[in-house]
Amino acid sequence: MLPFCFEWVWDLGHVLFIGGLLFAPIGILGAGLTYCAVKAAYETINDSGESHH
């Protein structure tokens, strides 16, 4: 069941599933995308990236 269903009960199993198995991968993907965006911006500003010429 999903949290917006009427039968939802916040027991330990549901908290671990929603908190650990759902938000952890989303957080990891978000951190990776943030790292890549910051690194790309830094290399663009400092012109330290590899050239394709």
Side-chain angles (χ1 to χ4, degrees):
M1 303 308 276
L2 298 173
F4 53 82
C5 294
F6 293 114
E7 297 89 15
W8 184 266
V9 178
W10 281 104
D11 58 359
L12 184 61
H14 287 102
V15 171
L16 290 176
F17 174 75
I18 294 295
L21 297 179
L22 180 63
F23 292 125
I26 292 173
I28 291 169
L29 289 173
L33 288 173
T34 302
Y35 171 76
C36 291
V38 169
K39 185 176 178 184
Y42 176 77
E43 289 182 356
T44 300
I45 291 170
N46 292 331
D47 197 28
S48 63
E50 293 183 13
S51 179
H52 292 286
H53 292 83

